[in-house]
Amino acid sequence: MFIGFDYGTSNCAVAIMDQGKPTLLPLEGHSTYIPSTLCAPTRESVSEHLFRHLNIAPSDVVGEQILRRSIAYNREEGIELVPEDIVFGQAALDLYLKDPRDVYYVKSPKSFLGASGLHEVQISFFEDLVCAMMANIKHTAEQQLQHTITDTVIGRPINFHGRGGDLANQQAEAILIKAAKRAGFRHIEFQFEPVAAGLEYEAALAQDQTVLVVDIGGGTTDCSLIKMGPSYRGKTDRADSLLAHSGQRVGGNDLDIYLALKKLMDHFGMSSQMVSGIKMPISQFWNPIAINNVEAQKDFYAKQNLAALNRLRQDAQEPEKLLRLIEVYNETLGYSLVRRAEEAKIALSKDDNYLVRIALLNEILEVDISRAQMVDAIESPKSKMIELVKEAVSQGGVQPDAIFMTGGSAQSPVLCQAIEQQLPNIPIVRGNDFGSVTAGLTRWAEICFK
């Protein structure tokens, strides 16, 4: 049996073909989407959980070394791991927000898969994370279907990590393949996410069109200029219909991060100065909220950085603000700050103002943000997204007949307006913002595995 598998940066979804149409399966309660999150007692618990409770062995020598060290660490800490200790999706976020200090929390591991400079140990650890999430989703789907799932088409962005090129993409695909095989899939194919979304749109077309698919997800923005319609539907070779691709690791997460940076981090000391008049180092305010950057997170939460933060507080003109930043360090609040910014972004798509409330140990910090301020804060990532739209059209050498927008961040009226301004007088068609890619992957799986 086959499924289409959208292993997304923000959410994951899977679907089967049912009576000729893709049908998404519930993955968390009644929801057909599960947030791409994992929460565990310790970082080391993931590897042990796979081996001890799911009977999933490491894929190589490095993984075996990690497993041995993980088991030894958990025994030293007195952690007796039970299956329920590893949680996923909204349950993982709820557990993290309840007490960030006492758990290990990961959001959007897909963002890191193509990162340059990863060591073998880091690559193996990300493989474990992805495998655990995929195994949970596969098991949930199989329970509902009462059938073993053996084959899958997994969606992938045009570029996993910025413009890291083939090496970054090969690294990310290798991690996904190993993780998927360990989770129990036998036959694995990939399809570009914007192409998959286009396949779902194509199913409803009565005549051929040239369509610009713009997929703005949590981690990446991907654009594909595609000829589609009845003449192309169902073909196994679509090379001639794919006119251009562009993609970069800039998505909804970046909008949240920039909004947090521009509107929240001043309250933690970013724009303040030292007694000497020297400005605060920007990295100390960027790193905690750069949740899609391995090195930034590592640098901020390193043990030696606490001493640096205390020195900044001692030398600060407004030391009370630096105390808040030290609390971010001690309480691991980076994800929480970005979450508050995400809530503001969503609210400001409809409302003119939004009051952010940040619960700290000794105060409730309130920050009022206007829609205009939000638009100004996200200008940098928004501009990168529009450049990708321009690049795809330029490469294809032809104006599209329609623009098909999909992805969670495609709901943003700010982004829609920016694309309309870039490509005026071209109709914008909206799909299922969260489900189009999954549906298209499932249609492609039917072609691959029939």
Side-chain angles (χ1 to χ4, degrees):
M1 186 173 189
F2 65 81
I3 59 171
F5 197 145
D6 182 10
Y7 181 71
T9 303
S10 296
N11 297 283
C12 297
V14 299
I16 60 169
M17 291 298 292
D18 185 19
Q19 298 182 359
K21 293 183 179 181
T23 300
L24 274 69
L25 301 176
L27 295 179
E28 189 172 41
H30 296 294
S31 175
T32 53
Y33 308 101
I34 182 169
S36 302
T37 57
L38 177 151
C39 197
T42 64
R43 185 180 189 273
E44 291 75 16
S45 298
V46 180
S47 301
E48 182 179 352
H49 172 77
L50 288 172
F51 182 74
R52 186 177 301 279
H53 298 304
L54 300 183
N55 198 30
I56 297 176
S59 62
D60 53 30
V61 174
V62 176
E64 291 173 355
Q65 293 171 347
I66 291 175
L67 175 60
R68 286 195 295 269
R69 288 200 295 265
S70 297
I71 293 174
Y73 176 85
N74 286 333
R75 295 298 81 75
E76 290 173 5
E77 295 296 316
I79 297 172
E80 292 296 331
L81 198 65
V82 297
E84 296 77 20
D85 283 340
I86 309 295
V87 293
F88 305 88
Q90 185 62 43
L93 177 59
D94 292 342
L95 186 58
Y96 162 73
L97 293 176
K98 184 178 180 181
D99 194 345
R101 295 171 299 176
D102 289 346
V103 295
Y104 176 74
Y105 176 75
V106 176
K107 177 184 178 183
S108 311
K110 182 181 177 183
S111 297
F112 307 120
L113 302 186
S116 60
L118 292 183
H119 303 301
E120 286 184 338
V121 170
Q122 291 172 309
I123 290 174
S124 185
F125 177 65
F126 283 126
E127 182 189 315
D128 282 343
L129 286 175
V130 176
C131 179
M133 296 171 73
M134 285 186 167
N136 174 65
I137 290 170
K138 183 173 183 288
H139 176 69
T140 301
E142 288 175 339
Q143 280 189 315
Q144 295 176 53
L145 299 170
Q146 292 297 297
H147 203 291
T148 301
I149 300 168
T150 57
D151 307 332
T152 186
V153 171
I154 300 173
R156 56 149 290 184
I158 303 300
N159 290 303
F160 279 90
H161 199 269
R163 299 180 186 272
D166 290 341
L167 289 178
N169 292 330
Q170 290 167 10
Q171 174 181 284
E173 276 201 3
I175 294 172
L176 288 170
I177 288 173
K178 284 186 176 182
K181 286 184 176 180
R182 291 173 65 199
F185 292 106
R186 296 177 190 170
H187 304 106
I188 302 158
E189 299 288 342
F190 288 98
Q191 180 57 274
F192 288 132
E193 288 159 358
V195 173
L199 292 173
E200 176 62 10
Y201 176 57
E202 181 183 63
L205 288 180
Q207 61 185 21
D208 292 349
Q209 288 186 344
T210 299
V211 179
L212 176 65
V213 181
V214 181
D215 179 14
I216 309 176
T220 59
T221 295
D222 296 292
C223 305
S224 290
L225 192 64
I226 312 173
K227 290 181 180 178
M228 60 174 67
S231 300
Y232 304 94
R233 195 177 298 143
K235 288 187 175 182
T236 56
D237 184 0
R238 297 294 298 260
D240 292 341
S241 68
L242 305 179
L243 304 181
H245 295 300
S246 64
Q248 192 175 353
R249 200 192 73 163
V250 56
N253 287 349
D254 297 276
L255 303 178
D256 305 333
I257 289 168
Y258 270 82
L259 184 55
L261 179 73
K262 299 287 187 178
K263 300 311 300 177
L264 301 184
M265 296 314 290
D266 276 357
H267 299 273
F268 295 83
M270 185 173 71
S271 294
S272 63
Q273 295 181 342
M274 300 181 193
V275 175
S276 62
I278 297 174
K279 292 182 179 179
M280 291 288 170
I282 188 67
S283 62
Q284 291 286 16
F285 304 92
W286 171 260
N287 288 351
I289 58 172
I291 59 172
N292 54 7
N293 186 314
V294 177
E295 291 304 315
Q297 293 281 284
K298 180 180 176 182
D299 289 346
F300 183 78
Y301 290 109
K303 290 183 179 180
Q304 60 269 28
N305 194 42
L306 181 58
L309 293 173
N310 278 312
R311 286 194 298 270
L312 286 179
R313 179 185 61 81
Q314 292 169 2
D315 296 337
Q317 291 184 12
E318 300 175 275
E320 68 281 0
K321 291 184 177 180
L322 273 297
L323 278 174
R324 292 173 181 160
L325 186 63
I326 292 171
E327 184 174 333
V328 172
Y329 175 96
N330 288 328
E331 305 297 322
T332 322
L333 296 180
Y335 280 108
S336 181
L337 291 177
V338 176
R339 175 66 174 169
R340 299 289 86 79
E342 180 186 18
E343 292 168 351
K345 178 193 69 176
I346 293 170
L348 290 168
S349 67
K350 299 178 181 178
D351 302 327
D352 293 330
N353 291 86
Y354 181 79
L355 185 66
V356 176
R357 290 183 173 88
I358 303 169
L360 300 175
L361 291 177
N362 298 313
E363 63 176 322
I364 301 294
L365 183 62
E366 296 186 338
V367 183
D368 189 49
I369 304 176
S370 69
R371 181 183 296 170
Q373 289 173 327
M374 184 267 288
V375 172
D376 181 66
I378 66 173
E379 176 60 32
S380 177
K382 185 194 76 172
S383 296
K384 292 178 181 178
M385 294 173 182
I386 301 306
E387 284 300 314
L388 293 170
V389 171
K390 292 167 58 178
E391 182 181 334
V393 175
S394 176
Q395 283 182 13
V398 61
Q399 289 287 101
D401 299 310
I403 302 167
F404 179 67
M405 290 189 64
T406 188
S409 295
Q411 300 176 86
S412 168
V414 176
L415 298 181
C416 289
Q417 184 180 22
I419 292 173
E420 286 177 340
Q421 291 173 348
Q422 181 60 42
L423 296 172
N425 304 318
I426 298 176
I428 292 180
V429 182
R430 300 296 298 274
N432 181 332
D433 291 324
F434 295 101
S436 294
V437 170
T438 314
L441 292 171
T442 309
R443 291 184 184 278
W444 191 248
E446 185 176 44
I447 294 172
C448 291
F449 303 123
K450 64 182 178 182

